[in-house]
Amino acid sequence: MAWYHAGDSPGYYAVTSESISMNQAILFPELERWSDELQQVVFPAMVQGMRIECRIGLHALGVRAGCFVAPEQALAIFRQWRWDIEEEAEEAIRQDAFDDLGMIHLQ
């Protein structure tokens, strides 16, 4: 189970795999960014109005692209493989594969 703060609403709300029905939309707004500090592409998912931070690193991007990915190429590779990456993130959310901070990390 992961806990998320829902914007201006007071308190925190739980998102669990039981609370996400199979036909519940998980949306991925095009707000991806490169984090120099993390050396990962960080991209949001929206579930029931709550934002979940998803991340994918250079190695994982390289596996998908079949080549070495340098930091300056990360966003372009992410965008090229967006649909597959978002599908993996959606499945991880449905499988309740959150880390201790409530984030999804794709390997």
Side-chain angles (χ1 to χ4, degrees):
M1 177 184 333
W3 294 92
Y4 301 94
H5 187 264
D8 296 330
S9 301
Y12 285 79
Y13 303 91
V15 174
T16 65
S17 55
E18 294 84 30
S19 68
I20 304 171
S21 66
M22 289 308 286
N23 61 358
Q24 177 74 36
I26 298 175
L27 305 173
F28 293 92
E30 294 183 6
L31 298 172
E32 66 275 357
R33 64 181 175 80
W34 171 251
S35 170
D36 279 325
E37 180 183 337
L38 300 170
Q39 292 289 293
Q40 296 178 329
V41 173
V42 180
F43 60 102
M46 299 297 294
V47 179
Q48 300 174 342
M50 292 169 275
R51 186 176 175 142
I52 298 170
E53 186 172 292
C54 304
R55 298 175 179 182
I56 186 167
L58 292 173
H59 177 74
L61 288 168
V63 168
R64 284 152 185 83
C67 63
F68 173 81
V69 176
E72 57 273 5
Q73 300 170 306
L75 283 173
I77 297 294
F78 175 87
R79 291 174 181 135
Q80 181 179 354
W81 292 89
R82 173 184 296 280
W83 303 114
D84 294 329
I85 293 168
E86 289 177 354
E87 191 172 292
E88 288 178 48
E90 182 174 345
E91 184 59 28
I93 291 167
R94 291 191 190 284
Q95 295 295 320
D96 210 19
F98 300 98
D99 70 8
D100 292 341
L101 298 175
M103 298 177 205
I104 295 293
H105 295 271
L106 299 180
Q107 304 297 321

